[in-house]
């Protein structure tokens, strides 16, 4: 199949970006979207141009490193799919595809399609953990956790930190990412002890990083590769109000 | 050189306790005087960096990804082993030790393997305390499943994303220390050289991948937890960035490489569908708990799988290995698949796959139950292939996966360069010639959480009077200049072929001649071809952009340059081992019914290789393997 691409090229953080047109012919529809970009880069290098920089690693939908806006949608047209798991069979022969980096104030562009998502790491660093040192843990079955609770915690813990929720949000909010971690930890007995401090610290860090407020459009859940539910955001708000109410930090 | 494995004295079950009792300690007040560099943030890297940070050392943590959470441990799906015996099915530390040693075809050290089984108990406790949501029974207790190569259920799992959840636990522990300031994080940095001063590892040279700047970092000890080099085959189950460069540069600075040719080929990956392909996606081995593997009885079968009646199917694993059936170990299952595919019974558009069929399990347990156990894997299969595996069998194929080989380490996980430690997949230890399923997460984690914190402290105890290590020394300058020259040399070639072209060509050579099966003639041929390809690379590779800016092609080129040398060593290693063991199947050494034929009399040793830098090739140093507890037996899964 043939594709016409319009790709955002930006030299560095401060440089001015622009859309550049590329044509690719004779592509196999079973190719993944990133393999299509590999093919483009092979062509660009051979022709003496600089390849398009984009982030990617595991290419099996779990590391969360890849991600771009494809025709204005985070990770492209399929729901609950990472860019690496998107295949050309989802596009029409001859189609024009617009490819841009994830956009948010807290995710500055590094080059072309690569953005800086280290703000997510700083949110986790501010409280997204159980404060346990190595080597002193009690027996794993000492505290039973029901099947339903473990599964519910897993549903939240499954977030891959790709940033699609932020990129798709009109306010550039990290509420889905942060709330998923808060919920994962708050519902497990191991994480309950420091739930109040955690939510206060993580929400404060979100603000420091210049993420916007939740706009309640629920677009984040629609685009999330792991289908993380917006109910996590409700949980975060509950935990925050609870912490405020009891004045616990 | 004589290799000292430093196995502690005493009976097997007391060796580790004895070591810990005797190991030297560092006073908490002295710990802040000591700096440690940790390269890699997967399970081994994150856990050791977090542990050392907790203890009060100054830690610098490096990874090439944009966040430590992306490390490839995240992708391991099926589970992690631990001899907890929660199923009351006869499991014990000793049983797990025997299974692992046998699974590795008696090519691992007894003491290491026993320690891994012993520490497995603590790992589950540690992870649960961190909030890892392992699968639970309705009563609230932990659940288990079975994995290839064993007859008990000792594998703990978090759906099909166990690696992800364990890694997030370790990453969160790491980020907690980053927040406290005890660990300094350097993401998007790649180690390009090791600095050795007076024979000791004293630092590293890294490239900041965002800016292209070359930086020097000094420390009292360096820990490499950089994972495996299976991506050398290009098509593999590994992430695109996985590479062997850090361990290879350390090898060229004096650390020995052990058993480089032992690469596990995983039996349940998705088959290759075209030349454009960048990777082969792994479907979890846990699927073999419920899926049945078969091929048609008739060669070149063109009927759809559901149109082939039961009596025209060959469930070849159940036929050949009735005791273990579909759960036969990975090397055995992979070879059995290759044998059927080579014999003309392969299926799929390229006839390069076998079926993994869930129809019986769905009929017996219901679709919902199967969905709960493996739902994400079925979804992933649908996304990649466009086929619904609830309605027809999956197509699977063997592909390169895990490198059992790596830097040689002693019982303390220290390489032959004092002060340089290698953890997890970056070392050669514990797995022997074949890795059993669900042991990679285990080894990486216990190395980082429970072993290296003691052994590194034992080393650092002698370093408290050393004082701050300066990076302003001739050794650092020389290492930095070497790295800068390598980068400039690569940029200056300005040839006509891309880096990926060379990587793919090398990968195909290794698949054909140093893959699932090897023979003398093929290995000798491969060595010559790799040398030719390497020469061509240095004449004709084309890298766009500059060396002192962000440049992914340059990163790839450096890794491929190292792959040529690693690939050559893999072939040397395979050539010198005139036997078949585990993942290493030499066609000349097989039984009449096609099983691996081990030769304990002549090859019961670990091959450790020294870099000579000469055209004559590397130097082989043998570490004999001594079995006191169990005597090697012929590995049978029939």
């Amino acid at each position: 199949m043939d594709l016409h691409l319009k790709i955002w090229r930006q030299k560095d953080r401060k440089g001015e970006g622009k859309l550049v047109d590329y044509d690719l012919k004779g592509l196999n529809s079973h190719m993944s979207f990133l393999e299509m970009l590999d093919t483009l880069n092979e062509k660009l290098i051979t022709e003496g141009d600089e390849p398009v920089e984009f982030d990617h690693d595991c290419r099996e939908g779990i590391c969360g490193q890849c991600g771009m806006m494809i025709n204005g949608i985070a990770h492209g047209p399929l729901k609950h799919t990472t860019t690496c798991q998107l295949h050309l069979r989802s596009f029409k022969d001859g189609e024009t595809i617009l490819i841009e980096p994830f956009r948010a104030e807290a995710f500055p562009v590094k080059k072309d399609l690569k953005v800086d998502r280290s703000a997510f790491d700083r949110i986790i660093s501010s409280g997204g953990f159980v404060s346990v040192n190595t080597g002193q843990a009690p027996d794993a079955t000492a505290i039973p956790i029901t099947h339903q609770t473990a599964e519910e915690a897993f549903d939240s813990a499954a977030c891959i930190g790709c940033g699609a929720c932020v990129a798709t949000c009109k306010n550039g909010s990290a509420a889905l990412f942060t709330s998923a971690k808060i919920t994962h930890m708050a519902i497990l007995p191991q994480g309950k002890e420091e739930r109040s401090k955690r939510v206060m610290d993580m929400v404060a860090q979100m603000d420091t990083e210049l993420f916007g407020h939740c706009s309640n459009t629920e677009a984040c859940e629609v685009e999330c590769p792991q289908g993380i539910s917006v109910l996590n955001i409700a949980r975060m708000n509950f935990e925050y109000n609870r912490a405020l109410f009891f004045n616990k930090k | 050189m004589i290799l000292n494995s430093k196995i502690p004295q005493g009976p097997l079950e007391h060796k580790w306790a004895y070591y810990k009792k005797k190991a030297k300690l560092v006073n908490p007040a002295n710990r802040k005087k000591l700096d440690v560099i940790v390269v890699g943030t997967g399970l081994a890297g994150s856990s050791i960096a977090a542990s050392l940070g907790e203890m009060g050392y100054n830690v610098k943590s490096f990874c090439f990804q944009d966040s430590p959470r992306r490390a490839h441990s995240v992708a391991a799906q099926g589970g992690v082993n631990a001899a907890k015996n929660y199923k009351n099915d006869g499991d014990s530390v000793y049983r797990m030790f025997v299974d692992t040693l046998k699974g590795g075809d008696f090519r691992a050290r007894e003491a290491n393997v026993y320690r891994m089984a012993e520490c497995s108990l603590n790992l589950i406790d540690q992870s649960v305390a961190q909030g890892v949501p392992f699968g639970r029974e309705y009563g609230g207790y932990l659940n288990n499943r079975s994995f290839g190569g064993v007859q008990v259920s000792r594998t703990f799992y978090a759906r099909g994303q166990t690696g992800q959840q364990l890694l997030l636990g370790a990453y969160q522990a790491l980020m907690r220390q980053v927040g406290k300031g005890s660990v300094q994080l350097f993401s998007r940095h790649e180690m390009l050289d090791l600095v050795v001063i007076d024979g000791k590892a004293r630092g590293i040279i890294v490239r900041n991948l965002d800016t292209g700047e070359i930086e020097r970092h000094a420390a009292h000890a360096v820990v490499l937890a950089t994972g495996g080099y299976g991506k050398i085959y290009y098509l593999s189950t590994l992430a695109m960035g996985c590479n062997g460069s850090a361990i290879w540069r350390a090898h060229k600075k004096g650390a020995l490489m052990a058993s480089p040719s032992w690469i596990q080929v995983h039996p349940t990956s998705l088959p290759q569908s075209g030349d454009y392909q960048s990777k082969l996606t792994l479907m979890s081995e846990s699927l073999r708990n419920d899926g049945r593997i078969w091929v048609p009885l008739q060669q070149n079968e063109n009927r759809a799988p559901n149109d082939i009646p039961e009596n025209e199917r060959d469930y070849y694993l159940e036929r050949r290995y009735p005791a273990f059936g579909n759960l036969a170990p990975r090397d055995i299952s992979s070879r059995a698949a290759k044998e059927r595919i080579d014999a003309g019974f392969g299926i799929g558009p390229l006839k390069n796959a076998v079926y993994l069929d869930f129809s019986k399990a769905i009929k017996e347990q219901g679709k919902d139950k199967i969905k709960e156990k493996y739902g994400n894997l079925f979804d992933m299969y649908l996304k990649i292939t466009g086929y619904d595996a609830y309605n027809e069998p999956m197509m699977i194929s063997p592909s390169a996966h895990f490198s059992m080989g790596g830097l040689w380490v002693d019982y303390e996980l220290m390489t032959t360069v004092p002060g340089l430690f290698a953890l997890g997949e970056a070392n050669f230890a514990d797995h022997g010639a074949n890795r059993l399923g669900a042991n990679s997460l285990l080894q990486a984690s216990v190395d980082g959480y429970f072993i290296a914190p003691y052994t590194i402290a034992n080393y650092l105890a002698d370093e408290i009077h050393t004082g701050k290590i300066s990076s302003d020394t001739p050794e650092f300058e020389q290492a930095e200049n070497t790295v800068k020259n390598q980068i400039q040399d690569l940029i200056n070639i300005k040839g006509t072929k891309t880096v990926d072209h060379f990587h793919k060509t090398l990968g195909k050579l290794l698949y054909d001649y140093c893959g699932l099966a090897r023979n003398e003639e093929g290995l000798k041929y491969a060595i010559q071809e790799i040398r030719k390809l390497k020469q061509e690379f240095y004449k004709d590779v084309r890298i766009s952009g500059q060396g002192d800016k962000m440049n992914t092609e340059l990163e790839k080129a450096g890794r491929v340059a190292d792959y040529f040398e690693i690939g050559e060593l893999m072939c040397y290693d395979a050539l010198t081992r005139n036997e078949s063991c585990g993942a290493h199947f030499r066609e000349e050494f097989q039984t009449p019914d096609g099983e691996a034929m081990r030769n304990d009399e002549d090859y019961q040793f670990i091959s450790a290789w020294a870099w000579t830098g000469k055209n004559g090739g590397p130097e082989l140093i043998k570490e004999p393997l001594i079995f006191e507890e169990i005597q090697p037996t012929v590995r049978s899964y029939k």
Side-chain angles (χ1 to χ4, degrees):
Chain A
M1 60 193 286
D2 300 343
L3 289 175
H4 180 69
L5 309 173
K6 288 174 122 38
I7 302 182
W8 184 262
R9 302 297 309 257
Q10 182 172 333
K11 213 172 150 205
D12 51 35
R13 203 157 174 150
K14 290 180 189 141
E16 211 166 289
K18 61 173 183 187
L19 286 167
V20 179
D21 293 76
Y22 300 99
D23 281 303
L24 283 177
K25 294 191 187 305
L27 298 165
N28 185 320
S29 66
H30 291 297
M31 237 179 216
S32 73
F33 198 81
L34 299 185
E35 283 163 352
M36 181 271 288
L37 288 178
D38 290 342
T39 309
L40 169 70
N41 279 347
E42 291 279 293
K43 187 169 169 252
L44 293 178
I45 296 164
T46 316
E47 290 167 355
D49 290 331
E50 276 199 38
V52 179
E53 290 283 356
F54 61 98
D55 261 327
H56 63 97
D57 201 20
C58 80
R59 296 202 176 189
E60 52 189 72
I62 192 74
C63 78
Q65 184 142 315
C66 68
M68 49 196 82
M69 302 303 280
I70 300 165
N71 289 336
I73 305 168
H75 293 305
L78 297 183
K79 298 302 165 213
H80 309 311
T81 304
T82 52
T83 304
C84 65
Q85 298 294 285
L86 175 68
H87 289 74
L88 295 192
R89 66 179 86 93
S90 298
F91 299 90
K92 287 191 218 78
D93 188 21
E95 193 174 332
T96 296
I97 306 177
L98 176 65
I99 309 173
E100 301 161 283
F102 278 174
R103 291 190 192 283
E105 188 163 6
F107 286 174
V109 173
K110 286 179 175 180
K111 187 177 182 183
D112 298 339
L113 304 173
K114 275 188 177 172
V115 298
D116 181 354
R117 285 168 291 187
S118 53
F120 272 10
D121 288 327
R122 292 187 290 273
I123 291 177
I124 295 295
S125 192
S126 71
F129 44 75
V130 177
S131 293
V132 53
N133 283 0
T134 303
Q136 300 306 320
D139 188 88
T141 52
I143 308 167
I145 302 169
T146 65
H147 176 79
Q148 291 87 339
T149 306
E151 293 299 307
E152 203 186 327
F154 187 100
D155 286 341
S156 301
C159 166
I160 60 173
C162 64
C165 50
V166 174
T168 200
C169 176
K170 58 175 138 181
N171 282 356
S173 167
L176 193 67
F177 168 81
T178 311
S179 67
K181 188 51 61 188
I182 285 167
T183 306
H184 162 209
M185 295 295 181
I187 60 181
L188 288 174
Q190 289 79 7
K192 276 209 164 79
E193 289 301 323
E194 50 190 334
R195 62 201 278 203
S196 299
K197 180 170 163 41
R198 178 181 304 119
V199 70
M200 300 300 279
D201 289 347
M202 290 180 79
V203 169
Q205 189 64 35
M206 255 191 337
D207 291 342
T208 309
E209 298 290 347
L210 303 178
F211 288 104
H213 285 280
C214 171
S215 56
N216 287 312
T217 61
E218 303 186 4
C220 51
E221 179 179 325
V222 176
E223 298 308 334
C224 174
Q226 296 287 49
I228 303 287
S229 164
V230 290
L231 289 176
N232 286 287
I233 300 177
R235 177 83 197 207
M236 175 169 75
N237 293 336
F238 165 76
E239 292 289 336
Y240 191 80
N241 288 321
R242 181 187 167 278
L244 272 185
F245 184 76
F246 291 109
N247 197 19
K248 276 187 175 177
K249 196 188 164 182
Chain B
M1 182 191 284
I2 294 174
L3 292 170
N4 179 6
S5 58
K6 295 196 212 149
I7 305 288
Q9 63 184 59
L12 193 57
E13 62 272 27
H14 295 150
K15 282 183 191 295
W16 181 229
Y18 179 81
Y19 177 88
K20 287 193 283 187
K21 195 169 80 180
K22 294 282 180 185
K24 282 175 262 180
L25 301 174
V26 181
N27 177 322
N30 282 332
R31 292 177 200 161
K32 54 178 174 289
K33 295 182 197 157
L34 294 164
D35 304 320
V36 184
I37 283 170
V38 179
V39 186
T41 58
L43 269 170
S46 285
S47 56
I48 187 62
S51 299
L52 293 173
E54 285 163 15
M55 290 157 81
Y57 298 99
N58 305 312
V59 182
K60 285 182 173 179
S61 160
F62 295 84
C63 69
F64 68 75
Q65 293 92 348
D66 78 332
S67 160
R69 66 178 295 147
R70 319 270 187 226
H72 196 52
S73 304
V74 80
Q77 297 161 331
V80 58
N81 284 337
K84 285 276 200 185
N85 195 32
Y86 284 158
K87 286 281 182 187
N88 197 29
D89 57 359
D91 203 8
S92 64
V93 168
Y94 186 80
R95 180 92 60 182
M96 184 169 164
F97 152 71
V98 173
D99 282 343
T100 308
L101 204 66
K102 176 188 164 194
D105 220 353
F106 300 93
R107 290 292 175 262
R109 289 188 203 124
E110 274 189 343
N112 279 63
V113 174
Y114 192 90
R115 178 176 62 181
M116 182 172 82
E118 191 180 339
C119 294
S120 71
L121 308 175
N122 302 93
L123 174 63
I124 302 305
D125 301 341
Q126 179 70 27
S127 307
V128 167
Q130 289 172 342
V132 172
F134 281 121
R136 297 261 172 174
E137 304 271 15
Y138 283 89
Y141 295 101
L142 286 151
N143 205 352
N144 298 112
R145 57 188 171 203
S146 192
F147 248 54
V150 302
Q151 288 171 312
V152 292
S153 287
R154 68 161 70 101
T155 307
F156 292 79
Y157 63 95
R159 290 192 200 153
Q161 284 145 270
T162 318
Q164 180 202 26
Q165 291 307 312
L166 284 175
L167 180 70
L168 291 182
Y171 155 73
Q172 287 161 198
L174 172 68
M175 295 315 291
R176 178 174 160 238
Q177 297 306 319
V178 171
K180 286 179 166 182
S182 59
V183 176
Q184 233 183 312
L185 181 66
F186 297 83
S187 54
R188 300 279 304 146
H189 280 68
E190 182 163 33
M191 172 180 154
L192 292 182
D193 209 355
L194 176 76
V195 180
V196 178
I197 301 175
D198 295 333
K200 289 180 175 177
R202 289 303 193 193
I204 58 173
I205 305 292
V206 293
R207 182 166 180 271
N208 179 332
L209 302 181
D210 279 346
T211 63
E213 275 172 81
I214 303 296
E215 301 170 8
R216 303 175 185 187
H217 294 272
H220 296 87
V222 176
V223 183
L224 300 184
T226 55
Y229 49 87
K231 187 70 191 168
I232 195 170
Y233 289 89
Y234 193 74
L235 286 176
S236 82
T237 63
L238 300 186
M240 300 302 283
C242 289
N243 66 85
S245 284
I247 60 170
W248 189 250
R249 308 273 166 111
H251 171 65
K252 289 170 95 167
K253 285 289 177 81
L256 301 191
M257 273 286 279
S259 316
S261 70
W262 292 346
I263 304 256
Q264 182 170 77
V265 174
H266 200 293
T268 59
S269 103
L270 298 185
Q272 186 181 359
S273 60
D275 291 338
Y276 54 81
Q277 211 154 342
S278 57
K279 79 166 287 169
L280 298 174
T281 301
L282 179 67
M283 300 306 288
S284 169
E285 182 171 37
S286 64
L287 291 168
R288 294 200 278 149
N289 270 294
D290 287 302
R292 301 178 72 201
I293 292 175
W294 61 276
V295 290
L297 266 177
Q298 186 182 301
Q299 281 176 325
N300 299 315
E301 176 66 74
N302 287 319
R303 282 178 291 178
N306 290 341
D307 295 338
I308 303 173
E310 194 65 22
N311 61 358
E312 292 180 41
R313 301 175 177 191
D314 176 14
Y315 295 90
Y316 59 88
L317 282 180
E318 296 171 27
R319 168 169 61 80
R320 285 178 64 178
Y321 308 100
F324 284 73
N326 294 298
L327 287 172
R330 293 180 178 174
D331 59 326
I332 306 252
S333 305
S334 297
R335 271 200 299 279
K338 183 178 191 293
E339 188 274 329
R340 284 293 81 189
I341 291 168
D342 289 350
F345 297 93
I347 54 93
L350 300 178
K351 301 285 179 203
N352 60 350
V354 299
Y355 288 124
L356 177 62
D357 195 335
F358 290 86
S359 55
K360 186 162 177 270
I362 289 172
K363 201 185 268 176
E364 286 171 0
Q365 301 171 39
K367 190 176 166 183
D368 288 347
K369 189 77 198 163
I370 296 298
K371 205 172 198 163
E372 189 188 318
K373 284 199 231 177
Y374 314 110
N376 66 313
L377 299 169
F378 279 63
D379 291 345
M380 190 165 88
Y381 185 80
L382 178 67
K383 277 179 197 164
I384 296 171
T385 64
Y387 295 108
D388 181 358
Y390 293 111
N391 297 330
E392 59 180 292
M394 286 182 183
M395 290 183 281
I396 55 161
S397 183
S399 77
H401 182 52
F402 186 95
S403 41
M404 279 79 72
L407 290 180
W408 183 91
V409 287
D410 58 25
Y411 189 75
E412 296 189 296
L413 307 181
M414 189 153 80
T415 67
T416 44
V417 177
L420 179 70
F421 294 80
L423 273 55
E425 198 179 347
N427 72 30
F428 87 103
D430 299 10
H431 303 304
N434 172 53
R435 180 178 67 80
L436 287 187
N439 270 352
S440 70
L441 295 176
L442 172 64
Q443 188 225 343
S445 302
V446 301
D447 280 5
Y449 284 124
F450 306 117
I451 299 169
Y454 290 94
T455 63
I456 293 174
N458 185 54
Y459 174 81
L460 290 175
D462 292 333
E463 292 287 334
I464 52 175
H465 300 300
T466 305
K468 201 89 187 152
I469 307 286
S470 167
S471 63
D472 197 15
T473 66
E475 291 87 352
F476 270 97
E477 186 166 341
Q478 195 195 4
E480 183 179 321
N481 287 339
T482 309
V483 164
K484 282 183 171 165
N485 290 339
Q486 278 166 351
I487 289 172
Q488 207 45 52
D489 289 349
L490 287 169
I491 295 275
N492 287 347
I493 297 170
K494 299 193 193 306
T496 62
K497 296 198 176 89
T498 62
V499 177
D500 281 357
H501 160 81
F502 287 99
H503 194 170
K504 285 178 182 176
T505 312
L506 174 68
K508 184 156 187 343
L509 257 174
L510 288 171
Y511 257 116
D512 290 347
Y513 299 104
C514 193
L516 256 174
R518 301 100 189 256
N519 62 50
E520 186 182 342
E521 193 189 347
L523 288 165
K524 284 181 173 164
Y525 173 77
I527 291 171
Q528 296 311 316
E529 289 302 301
I530 292 171
R531 284 182 178 169
K532 275 192 232 163
L533 194 65
K534 183 177 159 186
Q535 276 179 1
E536 196 192 331
F537 173 84
Y538 281 107
K539 272 193 205 127
D540 202 20
V541 74
R542 181 184 194 98
I543 299 156
S544 311
Q546 295 149 280
D548 56 356
K549 295 268 161 40
M550 179 188 286
N551 191 336
T552 305
E553 283 301 302
L554 177 65
E555 292 166 31
K556 282 165 31 180
R559 295 168 194 161
V560 172
D562 292 333
Y563 279 148
F564 288 122
E565 295 172 354
I566 299 173
E568 196 177 322
L569 185 64
M570 282 166 61
C571 294
Y572 265 111
D573 186 49
L575 194 58
T576 51
R577 198 167 272 277
N578 289 327
E579 65 161 354
S580 291
C581 63
H584 170 64
F585 190 76
R586 277 282 297 271
E587 286 166 347
E588 304 95 321
F589 305 98
Q590 55 178 305
T591 61
D593 54 351
E595 301 297 341
M597 206 158 72
R598 219 176 54 218
N599 177 351
D600 290 336
E601 204 171 307
D602 299 317
Y603 294 97
Q604 195 168 292
F605 58 79
I606 297 296
S607 303
W609 295 91
W611 172 258
T612 63
K614 295 175 204 146
N615 281 338
E619 181 194 348
L620 174 63
I621 298 157
K622 296 174 184 176
E623 181 204 331
L625 286 167
I626 298 151
F627 294 98
E628 291 173 344
E629 188 69 28
I630 50 174
Q631 286 313 304
T633 50
V634 173
R635 194 163 156 250
S636 170
Y637 292 89
K638 290 189 174 175

